[in-house]
PDB file of all heavy atoms in Angstrom:
ATOM      1  N   VAL A   1     110.002  97.078 103.377  1.00  0.00           N
ATOM      2  CA  VAL A   1     111.152  97.896 102.979  1.00  0.00           C
ATOM      3  C   VAL A   1     111.991  98.101 104.252  1.00  0.00           C
ATOM      4  O   VAL A   1     111.466  98.784 105.118  1.00  0.00           O
ATOM      5  CB  VAL A   1     110.712  99.250 102.358  1.00  0.00           C
ATOM      6  CG1 VAL A   1     112.005 100.037 101.949  1.00  0.00           C
ATOM      7  CG2 VAL A   1     109.803  99.024 101.153  1.00  0.00           C
ATOM      8  N   LEU A   2     113.185  97.566 104.304  1.00  0.00           N
ATOM      9  CA  LEU A   2     114.050  97.731 105.470  1.00  0.00           C
ATOM     10  C   LEU A   2     115.049  98.830 105.095  1.00  0.00           C
ATOM     11  O   LEU A   2     115.978  98.638 104.298  1.00  0.00           O
ATOM     12  CB  LEU A   2     114.765  96.373 105.733  1.00  0.00           C
ATOM     13  CG  LEU A   2     115.630  96.392 107.013  1.00  0.00           C
ATOM     14  CD1 LEU A   2     114.758  96.676 108.212  1.00  0.00           C
ATOM     15  CD2 LEU A   2     116.349  95.085 107.174  1.00  0.00           C
ATOM     16  N   ARG A   3     114.850  99.996 105.669  1.00  0.00           N
ATOM     17  CA  ARG A   3     115.613 101.152 105.353  1.00  0.00           C
ATOM     18  C   ARG A   3     116.933 101.121 106.142  1.00  0.00           C
ATOM     19  O   ARG A   3     117.038 100.575 107.252  1.00  0.00           O
ATOM     20  CB  ARG A   3     114.856 102.424 105.831  1.00  0.00           C
ATOM     21  CG  ARG A   3     113.630 102.645 105.066  1.00  0.00           C
ATOM     22  CD  ARG A   3     112.810 103.654 105.684  1.00  0.00           C
ATOM     23  NE  ARG A   3     113.553 104.937 105.878  1.00  0.00           N
ATOM     24  CZ  ARG A   3     113.531 105.995 105.003  1.00  0.00           C
ATOM     25  NH1 ARG A   3     112.741 105.877 103.961  1.00  0.00           N
ATOM     26  NH2 ARG A   3     114.211 107.029 105.270  1.00  0.00           N
ATOM     27  N   LYS A   4     117.999 101.651 105.529  1.00  0.00           N
ATOM     28  CA  LYS A   4     119.291 101.747 106.204  1.00  0.00           C
ATOM     29  C   LYS A   4     119.272 102.852 107.280  1.00  0.00           C
ATOM     30  O   LYS A   4     120.004 102.805 108.244  1.00  0.00           O
ATOM     31  CB  LYS A   4     120.402 101.975 105.139  1.00  0.00           C
ATOM     32  CG  LYS A   4     120.592 100.835 104.218  1.00  0.00           C
ATOM     33  CD  LYS A   4     121.788 101.139 103.309  1.00  0.00           C
ATOM     34  CE  LYS A   4     122.016  99.904 102.380  1.00  0.00           C
ATOM     35  NZ  LYS A   4     123.110 100.138 101.415  1.00  0.00           N
ATOM     36  N   LYS A   5     118.396 103.803 107.068  1.00  0.00           N
ATOM     37  CA  LYS A   5     118.300 104.916 108.043  1.00  0.00           C
ATOM     38  C   LYS A   5     116.813 104.899 108.533  1.00  0.00           C
ATOM     39  O   LYS A   5     115.903 104.598 107.818  1.00  0.00           O
ATOM     40  CB  LYS A   5     118.608 106.289 107.438  1.00  0.00           C
ATOM     41  CG  LYS A   5     120.044 106.405 106.933  1.00  0.00           C
ATOM     42  CD  LYS A   5     120.352 107.795 106.366  1.00  0.00           C
ATOM     43  CE  LYS A   5     121.767 107.981 106.008  1.00  0.00           C
ATOM     44  NZ  LYS A   5     122.039 109.307 105.341  1.00  0.00           N
ATOM     45  N   LYS A   6     116.704 105.398 109.777  1.00  0.00           N
ATOM     46  CA  LYS A   6     115.302 105.497 110.374  1.00  0.00           C
ATOM     47  C   LYS A   6     114.536 106.567 109.630  1.00  0.00           C
ATOM     48  O   LYS A   6     115.101 107.586 109.269  1.00  0.00           O
ATOM     49  CB  LYS A   6     115.419 105.765 111.849  1.00  0.00           C
ATOM     50  CG  LYS A   6     115.979 104.566 112.650  1.00  0.00           C
ATOM     51  CD  LYS A   6     115.932 104.913 114.120  1.00  0.00           C
ATOM     52  CE  LYS A   6     116.438 103.751 114.978  1.00  0.00           C
ATOM     53  NZ  LYS A   6     116.353 104.038 116.445  1.00  0.00           N
ATOM     54  N   ALA A   7     113.212 106.302 109.486  1.00  0.00           N
ATOM     55  CA  ALA A   7     112.354 107.262 108.908  1.00  0.00           C
ATOM     56  C   ALA A   7     112.004 108.415 109.992  1.00  0.00           C
ATOM     57  O   ALA A   7     112.490 108.294 111.139  1.00  0.00           O
ATOM     58  CB  ALA A   7     110.999 106.652 108.510  1.00  0.00           C
ATOM     59  N   SER A   8     111.264 109.402 109.620  1.00  0.00           N
ATOM     60  CA  SER A   8     110.996 110.444 110.492  1.00  0.00           C
ATOM     61  C   SER A   8     110.232 109.997 111.741  1.00  0.00           C
ATOM     62  O   SER A   8     110.293 110.595 112.845  1.00  0.00           O
ATOM     63  CB  SER A   8     110.202 111.572 109.808  1.00  0.00           C
ATOM     64  OG  SER A   8     108.940 111.051 109.265  1.00  0.00           O
ATOM     65  N   ASP A   9     109.455 108.910 111.592  1.00  0.00           N
ATOM     66  CA  ASP A   9     108.656 108.290 112.793  1.00  0.00           C
ATOM     67  C   ASP A   9     109.451 107.432 113.608  1.00  0.00           C
ATOM     68  O   ASP A   9     109.004 106.762 114.532  1.00  0.00           O
ATOM     69  CB  ASP A   9     107.379 107.700 112.284  1.00  0.00           C
ATOM     70  CG  ASP A   9     107.654 106.562 111.232  1.00  0.00           C
ATOM     71  OD1 ASP A   9     108.793 106.248 110.963  1.00  0.00           O
ATOM     72  OD2 ASP A   9     106.652 106.083 110.675  1.00  0.00           O
ATOM     73  N   GLY A  10     110.788 107.142 113.209  1.00  0.00           N
ATOM     74  CA  GLY A  10     111.656 106.315 114.004  1.00  0.00           C
ATOM     75  C   GLY A  10     111.761 104.861 113.573  1.00  0.00           C
ATOM     76  O   GLY A  10     112.438 104.074 114.080  1.00  0.00           O
ATOM     77  N   ASP A  11     110.887 104.504 112.607  1.00  0.00           N
ATOM     78  CA  ASP A  11     110.834 103.099 112.054  1.00  0.00           C
ATOM     79  C   ASP A  11     111.862 102.917 110.944  1.00  0.00           C
ATOM     80  O   ASP A  11     112.070 103.767 110.110  1.00  0.00           O
ATOM     81  CB  ASP A  11     109.403 102.754 111.570  1.00  0.00           C
ATOM     82  CG  ASP A  11     108.436 102.714 112.652  1.00  0.00           C
ATOM     83  OD1 ASP A  11     108.809 102.574 113.835  1.00  0.00           O
ATOM     84  OD2 ASP A  11     107.182 102.883 112.350  1.00  0.00           O
ATOM     85  N   ARG A  12     112.434 101.747 111.031  1.00  0.00           N
ATOM     86  CA  ARG A  12     113.318 101.337 109.897  1.00  0.00           C
ATOM     87  C   ARG A  12     112.629 100.509 108.928  1.00  0.00           C
ATOM     88  O   ARG A  12     112.864 100.523 107.724  1.00  0.00           O
ATOM     89  CB  ARG A  12     114.586 100.619 110.429  1.00  0.00           C
ATOM     90  CG  ARG A  12     115.630 101.527 111.100  1.00  0.00           C
ATOM     91  CD  ARG A  12     116.880 100.759 111.426  1.00  0.00           C
ATOM     92  NE  ARG A  12     117.468 100.179 110.162  1.00  0.00           N
ATOM     93  CZ  ARG A  12     118.329  99.220 110.164  1.00  0.00           C
ATOM     94  NH1 ARG A  12     118.658  98.614 111.256  1.00  0.00           N
ATOM     95  NH2 ARG A  12     118.858  98.798 108.978  1.00  0.00           N
ATOM     96  N   ALA A  13     111.818  99.562 109.425  1.00  0.00           N
ATOM     97  CA  ALA A  13     110.976  98.687 108.537  1.00  0.00           C
ATOM     98  C   ALA A  13     109.607  99.240 108.224  1.00  0.00           C
ATOM     99  O   ALA A  13     108.894  99.668 109.162  1.00  0.00           O
ATOM    100  CB  ALA A  13     110.868  97.304 109.170  1.00  0.00           C
ATOM    101  N   ILE A  14     109.287  99.270 106.971  1.00  0.00           N
ATOM    102  CA  ILE A  14     107.974  99.812 106.492  1.00  0.00           C
ATOM    103  C   ILE A  14     107.314  98.664 105.833  1.00  0.00           C
ATOM    104  O   ILE A  14     107.842  98.064 104.786  1.00  0.00           O
ATOM    105  CB  ILE A  14     108.101 100.939 105.551  1.00  0.00           C
ATOM    106  CG1 ILE A  14     108.797 102.197 106.260  1.00  0.00           C
ATOM    107  CG2 ILE A  14     106.787 101.401 105.028  1.00  0.00           C
ATOM    108  CD1 ILE A  14     109.058 103.378 105.429  1.00  0.00           C
ATOM    109  N   THR A  15     106.065  98.230 106.286  1.00  0.00           N
ATOM    110  CA  THR A  15     105.376  97.102 105.654  1.00  0.00           C
ATOM    111  C   THR A  15     104.161  97.677 104.960  1.00  0.00           C
ATOM    112  O   THR A  15     103.422  98.498 105.510  1.00  0.00           O
ATOM    113  CB  THR A  15     104.949  96.068 106.734  1.00  0.00           C
ATOM    114  OG1 THR A  15     106.107  95.587 107.408  1.00  0.00           O
ATOM    115  CG2 THR A  15     104.220  94.950 106.104  1.00  0.00           C
ATOM    116  N   LEU A  16     104.029  97.324 103.719  1.00  0.00           N
ATOM    117  CA  LEU A  16     102.880  97.763 102.872  1.00  0.00           C
ATOM    118  C   LEU A  16     102.061  96.554 102.467  1.00  0.00           C
ATOM    119  O   LEU A  16     102.538  95.520 101.997  1.00  0.00           O
ATOM    120  CB  LEU A  16     103.475  98.420 101.598  1.00  0.00           C
ATOM    121  CG  LEU A  16     104.543  99.515 101.797  1.00  0.00           C
ATOM    122  CD1 LEU A  16     105.180  99.893 100.448  1.00  0.00           C
ATOM    123  CD2 LEU A  16     103.962 100.716 102.544  1.00  0.00           C
ATOM    124  N   LEU A  17     100.794  96.768 102.653  1.00  0.00           N
ATOM    125  CA  LEU A  17      99.768  95.662 102.274  1.00  0.00           C
ATOM    126  C   LEU A  17      99.060  96.009 100.943  1.00  0.00           C
ATOM    127  O   LEU A  17      98.762  97.142 100.792  1.00  0.00           O
ATOM    128  CB  LEU A  17      98.752  95.561 103.366  1.00  0.00           C
ATOM    129  CG  LEU A  17      99.299  95.215 104.805  1.00  0.00           C
ATOM    130  CD1 LEU A  17      98.208  95.168 105.805  1.00  0.00           C
ATOM    131  CD2 LEU A  17     100.023  93.827 104.758  1.00  0.00           C
ATOM    132  N   THR A  18      98.893  95.024 100.101  1.00  0.00           N
ATOM    133  CA  THR A  18      98.226  95.197  98.817  1.00  0.00           C
ATOM    134  C   THR A  18      97.523  93.969  98.425  1.00  0.00           C
ATOM    135  O   THR A  18      97.769  92.792  98.818  1.00  0.00           O
ATOM    136  CB  THR A  18      99.328  95.497  97.763  1.00  0.00           C
ATOM    137  OG1 THR A  18      98.659  95.776  96.505  1.00  0.00           O
ATOM    138  CG2 THR A  18     100.345  94.407  97.532  1.00  0.00           C
ATOM    139  N   ASN A  19      96.483  94.189  97.598  1.00  0.00           N
ATOM    140  CA  ASN A  19      95.688  93.079  97.062  1.00  0.00           C
ATOM    141  C   ASN A  19      96.043  92.803  95.592  1.00  0.00           C
ATOM    142  O   ASN A  19      95.309  92.123  94.838  1.00  0.00           O
ATOM    143  CB  ASN A  19      94.215  93.319  97.215  1.00  0.00           C
ATOM    144  CG  ASN A  19      93.722  94.625  96.583  1.00  0.00           C
ATOM    145  OD1 ASN A  19      94.560  95.433  96.073  1.00  0.00           O
ATOM    146  ND2 ASN A  19      92.422  94.865  96.570  1.00  0.00           N
ATOM    147  N   LEU A  20      97.202  93.415  95.112  1.00  0.00           N
ATOM    148  CA  LEU A  20      97.686  93.126  93.765  1.00  0.00           C
ATOM    149  C   LEU A  20      98.452  91.775  93.771  1.00  0.00           C
ATOM    150  O   LEU A  20      99.091  91.486  94.790  1.00  0.00           O
ATOM    151  CB  LEU A  20      98.581  94.261  93.290  1.00  0.00           C
ATOM    152  CG  LEU A  20      97.879  95.528  92.843  1.00  0.00           C
ATOM    153  CD1 LEU A  20      98.898  96.684  92.755  1.00  0.00           C
ATOM    154  CD2 LEU A  20      97.206  95.343  91.498  1.00  0.00           C
ATOM    155  N   LYS A  21      98.447  91.095  92.669  1.00  0.00           N
ATOM    156  CA  LYS A  21      99.279  89.869  92.579  1.00  0.00           C
ATOM    157  C   LYS A  21     100.715  90.290  92.308  1.00  0.00           C
ATOM    158  O   LYS A  21     100.994  90.888  91.255  1.00  0.00           O
ATOM    159  CB  LYS A  21      98.663  88.948  91.445  1.00  0.00           C
ATOM    160  CG  LYS A  21      97.366  88.417  91.816  1.00  0.00           C
ATOM    161  CD  LYS A  21      96.902  87.503  90.718  1.00  0.00           C
ATOM    162  CE  LYS A  21      95.509  86.867  91.021  1.00  0.00           C
ATOM    163  NZ  LYS A  21      94.969  85.987  89.894  1.00  0.00           N
ATOM    164  N   LEU A  22     101.581  89.963  93.232  1.00  0.00           N
ATOM    165  CA  LEU A  22     102.949  90.487  93.157  1.00  0.00           C
ATOM    166  C   LEU A  22     103.871  89.624  92.351  1.00  0.00           C
ATOM    167  O   LEU A  22     103.748  88.388  92.338  1.00  0.00           O
ATOM    168  CB  LEU A  22     103.527  90.693  94.519  1.00  0.00           C
ATOM    169  CG  LEU A  22     102.989  91.844  95.436  1.00  0.00           C
ATOM    170  CD1 LEU A  22     103.725  91.971  96.722  1.00  0.00           C
ATOM    171  CD2 LEU A  22     103.041  93.168  94.680  1.00  0.00           C
ATOM    172  N   THR A  23     104.776  90.277  91.683  1.00  0.00           N
ATOM    173  CA  THR A  23     105.994  89.750  91.093  1.00  0.00           C
ATOM    174  C   THR A  23     107.162  90.501  91.701  1.00  0.00           C
ATOM    175  O   THR A  23     106.918  91.549  92.274  1.00  0.00           O
ATOM    176  CB  THR A  23     106.003  89.756  89.573  1.00  0.00           C
ATOM    177  OG1 THR A  23     106.010  91.133  89.159  1.00  0.00           O
ATOM    178  CG2 THR A  23     104.811  88.971  88.984  1.00  0.00           C
ATOM    179  N   LYS A  24     108.339  90.117  91.433  1.00  0.00           N
ATOM    180  CA  LYS A  24     109.527  90.877  91.990  1.00  0.00           C
ATOM    181  C   LYS A  24     109.536  92.258  91.368  1.00  0.00           C
ATOM    182  O   LYS A  24     109.785  93.277  92.065  1.00  0.00           O
ATOM    183  CB  LYS A  24     110.750  90.112  91.699  1.00  0.00           C
ATOM    184  CG  LYS A  24     111.073  88.916  92.590  1.00  0.00           C
ATOM    185  CD  LYS A  24     112.427  88.340  92.393  1.00  0.00           C
ATOM    186  CE  LYS A  24     112.695  87.250  93.311  1.00  0.00           C
ATOM    187  NZ  LYS A  24     114.015  86.653  93.205  1.00  0.00           N
ATOM    188  N   SER A  25     109.370  92.376  90.055  1.00  0.00           N
ATOM    189  CA  SER A  25     109.406  93.724  89.476  1.00  0.00           C
ATOM    190  C   SER A  25     108.228  94.569  89.891  1.00  0.00           C
ATOM    191  O   SER A  25     108.450  95.817  90.115  1.00  0.00           O
ATOM    192  CB  SER A  25     109.318  93.558  87.978  1.00  0.00           C
ATOM    193  OG  SER A  25     108.150  92.922  87.493  1.00  0.00           O
ATOM    194  N   LEU A  26     107.085  94.048  90.093  1.00  0.00           N
ATOM    195  CA  LEU A  26     105.940  94.829  90.572  1.00  0.00           C
ATOM    196  C   LEU A  26     106.164  95.250  91.957  1.00  0.00           C
ATOM    197  O   LEU A  26     105.813  96.435  92.378  1.00  0.00           O
ATOM    198  CB  LEU A  26     104.612  94.012  90.497  1.00  0.00           C
ATOM    199  CG  LEU A  26     103.357  94.784  90.848  1.00  0.00           C
ATOM    200  CD1 LEU A  26     103.203  96.077  90.129  1.00  0.00           C
ATOM    201  CD2 LEU A  26     102.139  93.862  90.693  1.00  0.00           C
ATOM    202  N   ALA A  27     106.680  94.364  92.832  1.00  0.00           N
ATOM    203  CA  ALA A  27     106.946  94.712  94.279  1.00  0.00           C
ATOM    204  C   ALA A  27     107.918  95.895  94.289  1.00  0.00           C
ATOM    205  O   ALA A  27     107.788  96.823  95.106  1.00  0.00           O
ATOM    206  CB  ALA A  27     107.470  93.489  95.010  1.00  0.00           C
ATOM    207  N   LYS A  28     108.935  95.921  93.471  1.00  0.00           N
ATOM    208  CA  LYS A  28     109.872  96.952  93.396  1.00  0.00           C
ATOM    209  C   LYS A  28     109.184  98.289  92.934  1.00  0.00           C
ATOM    210  O   LYS A  28     109.466  99.345  93.555  1.00  0.00           O
ATOM    211  CB  LYS A  28     111.001  96.694  92.427  1.00  0.00           C
ATOM    212  CG  LYS A  28     112.161  97.690  92.360  1.00  0.00           C
ATOM    213  CD  LYS A  28     113.286  97.277  91.505  1.00  0.00           C
ATOM    214  CE  LYS A  28     114.350  98.268  91.475  1.00  0.00           C
ATOM    215  NZ  LYS A  28     115.436  97.894  90.525  1.00  0.00           N
ATOM    216  N   THR A  29     108.318  98.143  91.979  1.00  0.00           N
ATOM    217  CA  THR A  29     107.565  99.406  91.515  1.00  0.00           C
ATOM    218  C   THR A  29     106.708  99.935  92.592  1.00  0.00           C
ATOM    219  O   THR A  29     106.727 101.184  92.848  1.00  0.00           O
ATOM    220  CB  THR A  29     106.721  99.074  90.250  1.00  0.00           C
ATOM    221  OG1 THR A  29     107.522  98.564  89.223  1.00  0.00           O
ATOM    222  CG2 THR A  29     105.954 100.186  89.800  1.00  0.00           C
ATOM    223  N   LEU A  30     106.003  99.074  93.358  1.00  0.00           N
ATOM    224  CA  LEU A  30     105.098  99.562  94.403  1.00  0.00           C
ATOM    225  C   LEU A  30     105.891 100.202  95.455  1.00  0.00           C
ATOM    226  O   LEU A  30     105.427 101.231  96.031  1.00  0.00           O
ATOM    227  CB  LEU A  30     104.257  98.458  94.928  1.00  0.00           C
ATOM    228  CG  LEU A  30     103.344  97.691  93.934  1.00  0.00           C
ATOM    229  CD1 LEU A  30     102.458  96.633  94.649  1.00  0.00           C
ATOM    230  CD2 LEU A  30     102.453  98.724  93.149  1.00  0.00           C
ATOM    231  N   ALA A  31     106.996  99.603  95.892  1.00  0.00           N
ATOM    232  CA  ALA A  31     107.823 100.229  96.929  1.00  0.00           C
ATOM    233  C   ALA A  31     108.364 101.585  96.537  1.00  0.00           C
ATOM    234  O   ALA A  31     108.414 102.516  97.352  1.00  0.00           O
ATOM    235  CB  ALA A  31     108.933  99.287  97.322  1.00  0.00           C
ATOM    236  N   GLY A  32     108.669 101.717  95.263  1.00  0.00           N
ATOM    237  CA  GLY A  32     109.128 102.980  94.745  1.00  0.00           C
ATOM    238  C   GLY A  32     108.048 104.053  94.776  1.00  0.00           C
ATOM    239  O   GLY A  32     108.321 105.223  95.061  1.00  0.00           O
ATOM    240  N   VAL A  33     106.867 103.628  94.420  1.00  0.00           N
ATOM    241  CA  VAL A  33     105.730 104.553  94.444  1.00  0.00           C
ATOM    242  C   VAL A  33     105.463 105.049  95.867  1.00  0.00           C
ATOM    243  O   VAL A  33     105.260 106.301  96.103  1.00  0.00           O
ATOM    244  CB  VAL A  33     104.461 103.860  93.858  1.00  0.00           C
ATOM    245  CG1 VAL A  33     103.215 104.723  94.127  1.00  0.00           C
ATOM    246  CG2 VAL A  33     104.584 103.658  92.405  1.00  0.00           C
ATOM    247  N   TYR A  34     105.442 104.189  96.852  1.00  0.00           N
ATOM    248  CA  TYR A  34     105.231 104.608  98.208  1.00  0.00           C
ATOM    249  C   TYR A  34     106.376 105.488  98.750  1.00  0.00           C
ATOM    250  O   TYR A  34     106.135 106.398  99.473  1.00  0.00           O
ATOM    251  CB  TYR A  34     105.044 103.399  99.078  1.00  0.00           C
ATOM    252  CG  TYR A  34     104.394 103.828 100.465  1.00  0.00           C
ATOM    253  CD1 TYR A  34     102.976 103.839 100.562  1.00  0.00           C
ATOM    254  CD2 TYR A  34     105.147 104.135 101.532  1.00  0.00           C
ATOM    255  CE1 TYR A  34     102.368 104.289 101.715  1.00  0.00           C
ATOM    256  CE2 TYR A  34     104.550 104.604 102.737  1.00  0.00           C
ATOM    257  CZ  TYR A  34     103.193 104.633 102.826  1.00  0.00           C
ATOM    258  OH  TYR A  34     102.568 105.031 103.978  1.00  0.00           O
ATOM    259  N   ARG A  35     107.594 105.130  98.329  1.00  0.00           N
ATOM    260  CA  ARG A  35     108.722 105.991  98.687  1.00  0.00           C
ATOM    261  C   ARG A  35     108.544 107.454  98.136  1.00  0.00           C
ATOM    262  O   ARG A  35     108.864 108.424  98.871  1.00  0.00           O
ATOM    263  CB  ARG A  35     110.038 105.441  98.168  1.00  0.00           C
ATOM    264  CG  ARG A  35     110.609 104.267  98.935  1.00  0.00           C
ATOM    265  CD  ARG A  35     111.783 103.770  98.244  1.00  0.00           C
ATOM    266  NE  ARG A  35     112.487 102.694  99.091  1.00  0.00           N
ATOM    267  CZ  ARG A  35     113.550 101.981  98.592  1.00  0.00           C
ATOM    268  NH1 ARG A  35     113.980 102.218  97.376  1.00  0.00           N
ATOM    269  NH2 ARG A  35     114.105 101.119  99.372  1.00  0.00           N
ATOM    270  N   LYS A  36     107.949 107.617  97.040  1.00  0.00           N
ATOM    271  CA  LYS A  36     107.804 108.924  96.381  1.00  0.00           C
ATOM    272  C   LYS A  36     106.584 109.561  96.910  1.00  0.00           C
ATOM    273  O   LYS A  36     106.274 110.754  96.484  1.00  0.00           O
ATOM    274  CB  LYS A  36     107.734 108.785  94.891  1.00  0.00           C
ATOM    275  CG  LYS A  36     109.059 108.409  94.283  1.00  0.00           C
ATOM    276  CD  LYS A  36     108.911 108.302  92.719  1.00  0.00           C
ATOM    277  CE  LYS A  36     110.222 107.816  92.108  1.00  0.00           C
ATOM    278  NZ  LYS A  36     110.145 107.876  90.575  1.00  0.00           N
ATOM    279  N   ARG A  37     105.739 108.850  97.727  1.00  0.00           N
ATOM    280  CA  ARG A  37     104.518 109.481  98.209  1.00  0.00           C
ATOM    281  C   ARG A  37     104.769 110.763  99.018  1.00  0.00           C
ATOM    282  O   ARG A  37     104.020 111.704  98.982  1.00  0.00           O
ATOM    283  CB  ARG A  37     103.828 108.500  99.119  1.00  0.00           C
ATOM    284  CG  ARG A  37     102.482 108.999  99.635  1.00  0.00           C
ATOM    285  CD  ARG A  37     101.790 107.931 100.495  1.00  0.00           C
ATOM    286  NE  ARG A  37     100.511 108.401 100.892  1.00  0.00           N
ATOM    287  CZ  ARG A  37     100.355 109.060 102.049  1.00  0.00           C
ATOM    288  NH1 ARG A  37     101.391 109.351 102.805  1.00  0.00           N
ATOM    289  NH2 ARG A  37      99.131 109.496 102.463  1.00  0.00           N
ATOM    290  N   TRP A  38     105.917 110.826  99.734  1.00  0.00           N
ATOM    291  CA  TRP A  38     106.227 112.084 100.414  1.00  0.00           C
ATOM    292  C   TRP A  38     106.388 113.192  99.457  1.00  0.00           C
ATOM    293  O   TRP A  38     106.165 114.378  99.853  1.00  0.00           O
ATOM    294  CB  TRP A  38     107.493 111.888 101.210  1.00  0.00           C
ATOM    295  CG  TRP A  38     108.741 111.803 100.447  1.00  0.00           C
ATOM    296  CD1 TRP A  38     109.347 110.653  99.901  1.00  0.00           C
ATOM    297  CD2 TRP A  38     109.584 112.861 100.022  1.00  0.00           C
ATOM    298  NE1 TRP A  38     110.506 110.988  99.230  1.00  0.00           N
ATOM    299  CE2 TRP A  38     110.680 112.344  99.299  1.00  0.00           C
ATOM    300  CE3 TRP A  38     109.522 114.270 100.236  1.00  0.00           C
ATOM    301  CZ2 TRP A  38     111.687 113.117  98.699  1.00  0.00           C
ATOM    302  CZ3 TRP A  38     110.595 114.991  99.632  1.00  0.00           C
ATOM    303  CH2 TRP A  38     111.620 114.514  98.956  1.00  0.00           C
TER     304      TRP A  38
END
């Protein structure tokens, strides 16, 4: 996830690792879940 604004830790790029078999729609869902983790 390449953010337009820096996160609180100063990073713009967030890389998430998973053992799920990805599709585009699933990748979007997972990124949204991690975004809502806060």
